[in-house]
C-alpha cells in the first residue's frame, strides 16, 4: 500500500502520521536521496522547515532525528513557507529538503514533503524507493559518522530578500491586504511586501499552533474580501497554510482566481520576452475562458493532469517558465522551483504598477465560462475510462456543446467517486449536461 499521495505523506497527526513514521521516513529519505547524488562535504546536508501547526513540532524533531541518525547534517529552518524551504534547499546546496505541512488542510492534519537536490519535488519513482526501504535493514552509522543538527539563522530575512529582488518596480503607494492563514507566511509575508514598498494590512497573521487555515486563507475568502473593501485597498491576497498558493481579490472585493492570475502573469512575461515558447502550462481543470483568452493573445496553453507536480514535470520537460492551477498554485520557474504564493502576489502588484491598471481591469482579459462540478460517490471509479455507454454519453455531451463548452469526466485519485465537470455558455446548460452525465455514471458504475 502506498503511503505517498499527490503531495507527500499526509494524514491525521499522531493518527496515521505518527512520530515513528516520521522518524522512519527521515531515515528512508536520507538513504534514497543521498544515494542518488554525490556530495562534496564530509556528510550529506538536509534542510527542514515547517508550518505553524502544533503537531509540526514533534514531527520536525522526529524527521530530524531520522535524518541525523542516518549520517545527514541537518539545518533547521523553523517556520517557513514551502517555497522558502525549496529556495534555501537550492541556494544552500542541500542534498535533501523536508517540509512538514498539510498545506490547506485543517489543523489536525499534517504532512511530510521531501525535496531532492535543487529544491525540486520528488518524482513517483523516488517516492516508491523511499517506501521500499522504509522498514528494511540498514547499516547505522556510529560515533562521529552520525549527523550534526543546528539552527539556520536569518532564514526569514534571506527568503524575503529573494522575493523582493524579483520585483522590477517599487510598490510605493499600494495599499494591500494579506491574509496569511495563520500559517507559515505570517512573518515573512508582510515583511516581503513592506520591503517591496507596499503598505500592508496583515490579517490572520497571529498563529497559535491551532488556528492555521481556520476560516481564513485561500479556502475562506470572505474575511479578505471584507477587509479589502473596508480598508480601501488596491488588492488583497490570500495564502494557504504553507503559502505555496495564492488567490487574489480586487479593490471591489471580487475574487481573482488562479486562471485569471496566470493570464495576467502570462501577458506580463510575454511583454518582457521571458514567456518561454509563448506557452503557459495549466491543468485540465482550467476554465475554457482562460484557454480562449490565451489563444486570442497568441499564447499556447499546454494542459496536464490535475496536480501541481504534473504541471512542474511538463514545465521542466519543455523548459516553460509559467504554469499553475485554478486553485492558485502558480509556478514561475525563473524564480522558484515550486508554487509560491508570495511571489505570485508580488508579481501581480508589479504588473499593476507597470501597466498603471487596477487588478480588476487586468483580470478582465479572462471571461470565465460557467462551470459545474458534480462528484458522484459510491461508484466503481476503476471502470470510468472503459465503460462504453459512459464514453458514448461523454462524446454526445461534448458534441452538444461544441466549441462553446467542455466536458471532463475523471475518477478521483483518493476516493471512490467520479468527478463530472462541465463548462457551457450558461449555468443552466452546464448544470443540465453535468446532471445528465452524473446519472449515467451512477447507473453504469454502481457498486
Amino acid at each position: 500500500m502506498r503511503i505517498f499521495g499527490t503531495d507527500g505523506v499526509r494524514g491525521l497527526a499522531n493518527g496515521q502520521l505518527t512520530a515513528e513514521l516520521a522518524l522512519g521516513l527521515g531515515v528512508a529519505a536520507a538513504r534514497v536521496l543521498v544515494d542518488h547524488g554525490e556530495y562534496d562535504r564530509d556528510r550529506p546536508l538536509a534542510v527542514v522547515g515547517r508550518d505553524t501547526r502544533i503537531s509540526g513540532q514533534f514531527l520536525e524533531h522526529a524527521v530530524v532525528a531520522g535524518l541525523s541518525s542516518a549520517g545527514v547534517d541537518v539545518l533547521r529552518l523553523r517556520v517557513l513557507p514551502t517555497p522558502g524551504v525549496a529556495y534555501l534547499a537550492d541556494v544552500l546546496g542541500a542534498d535533501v529538503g523536508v517540509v512538514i505541512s498539510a498545506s490547506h488542510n485543517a489543523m489536525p492534519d499534517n504532512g511530510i514533503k521531501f525535496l531532492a537536490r535543487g529544491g525540486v519535488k520528488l518524482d513517483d519513482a523516488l517516492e516508491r524507493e523511499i517506501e521500499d526501504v522504509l522498514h528494511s535493514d540498514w547499516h547505522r552509522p556510529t560515533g562521529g559518522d552520525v549527523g550534526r543538527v543546528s539552527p539556520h539563522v536569518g532564514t526569514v530575512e534571506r527568503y524575503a530578500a529573494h522575493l523582493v529582488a524579483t520585483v522590477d518596480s517599487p510598490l510605493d503607494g499600494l495599499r494591500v491586504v494579506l491574509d496569511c492563514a495563520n500559517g507559515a507566511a505570517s512573518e515573512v509575508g508582510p515583511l516581503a511586501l513592506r520591503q517591496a514598498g507596499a503598505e500592508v494590512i496583515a490579517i490572520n497573521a497571529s498563529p497559535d499552533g491551532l488556528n492555521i487555515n481556520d476560516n481564513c486563507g485561500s479556502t475562506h475568502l470572505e474575511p479578505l474580501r471584507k477587509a479589502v473593501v473596508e480598508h480601501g485597498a488596491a488588492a488583497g491576497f490570500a495564502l494557504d497554510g504553507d503559502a505555496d498558493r495564492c488567490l487574489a481579490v480586487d479593490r471591489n472585493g471580487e475574487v481573482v482566481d488562479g486562471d485569471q492570475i496566470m493570464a495576467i502573469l502570462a501577458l506580463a512575461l510575454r511583454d518582457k520576452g521571458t514567456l518561454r515558447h509563448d506557452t503557459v502550462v495549466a491543468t485540465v481543470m482550467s476554465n475554457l475562458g482562460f484557454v480562449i483568452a490565451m489563444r486570442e493573445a497568441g499564447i499556447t496553453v499546454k494542459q496536464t493532469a490535475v496536480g501541481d507536480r504534473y504541471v512542474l514535470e511538463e514545465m521542466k520537460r519543455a523548459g516553460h517558465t509559467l504554469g499553475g492551477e485554478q486553485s492558485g498554485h502558480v509556478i514561475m520557474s525563473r524564480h522558484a522551483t515550486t508554487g509560491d504564493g508570495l511571489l505570485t502576489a508580488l508579481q501581480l502588484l508589479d504588473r499593476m504598477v507597470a501597466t498603471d491598471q487596477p487588478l480588476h481591469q487586468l483580470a478582465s482579459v479572462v471571461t470565465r465560462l460557467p462551470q459545474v462540478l458534480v462528484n458522484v460517490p459510491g461508484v466503481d471509479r476503476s471502470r470510468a475510462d472503459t465503460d462504453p455507454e459512459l464514453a458514448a454519453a461523454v462524446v454526445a455531451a461534448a458534441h452538444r456543446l461544441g466549441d462553446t463548452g467542455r466536458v471532463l469526466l475523471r475518477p478521483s485519485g483518493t476516493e471512490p467517486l467520479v468527478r463530472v465537470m462541465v463548462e457551457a455558455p450558461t449555468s443552466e446548460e452546464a448544470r443540465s449536461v453535468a446532471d445528465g452525465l452524473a446519472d449515467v455514471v451512477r447507473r453504469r458504475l454502481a457498486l
Side-chain angles (χ1 to χ4, degrees), residues 3-188:
I3 62 171
F4 280 89
T6 56
D7 197 16
V9 178
R10 193 175 295 188
L12 178 65
N14 230 20
Q16 300 98 333
L17 186 55
T18 62
E20 293 85 350
L21 178 57
L23 177 74
L25 285 168
V27 171
R31 294 170 61 192
V32 169
L33 295 179
V34 171
D35 284 347
H36 276 268
E38 298 178 358
Y39 48 93
D40 55 5
R41 46 178 83 83
D42 291 340
R43 288 171 300 276
L45 176 67
V47 295
V48 179
R50 61 179 173 87
D51 69 21
T52 55
R53 291 163 218 267
I54 194 69
S55 60
Q57 296 180 9
F58 79 78
L59 290 171
E60 176 191 10
H61 285 288
V63 168
V64 168
L67 291 166
S68 57
S69 74
V72 176
D73 289 344
V74 182
L75 293 177
R76 296 177 58 212
L77 307 181
R78 307 290 177 88
V79 173
L80 199 68
T82 289
V85 178
Y87 167 71
L88 287 170
D90 184 22
V91 299
L92 295 174
D95 303 284
V96 183
V98 187
V99 182
I100 299 165
S101 173
S103 189
H104 61 279
N105 284 32
M107 179 276 297
D109 289 346
N110 216 321
I112 300 175
K113 295 184 277 192
F114 292 101
L115 305 169
R117 188 176 284 110
V120 299
K121 290 187 176 182
L122 303 190
D123 58 27
D124 292 339
L126 281 174
E127 288 183 345
R128 282 192 292 270
E129 284 191 54
I130 291 174
E131 289 181 352
D132 289 343
V133 306
L134 183 57
H135 300 296
S136 65
D137 292 334
W138 61 295
H139 177 72
R140 300 171 183 269
T142 57
D145 292 331
V146 299
R148 280 65 165 162
V149 180
S150 57
H152 185 67
V153 298
T155 55
V156 167
E157 294 77 12
R158 188 168 185 177
Y159 175 48
H162 158 68
L163 292 169
V164 174
T166 70
V167 178
D168 293 330
S169 307
L171 306 181
D172 300 346
L174 281 180
R175 178 178 294 177
V176 178
V177 179
L178 182 67
D179 186 340
C180 300
N182 290 311
S186 294
E187 180 180 0
V188 70

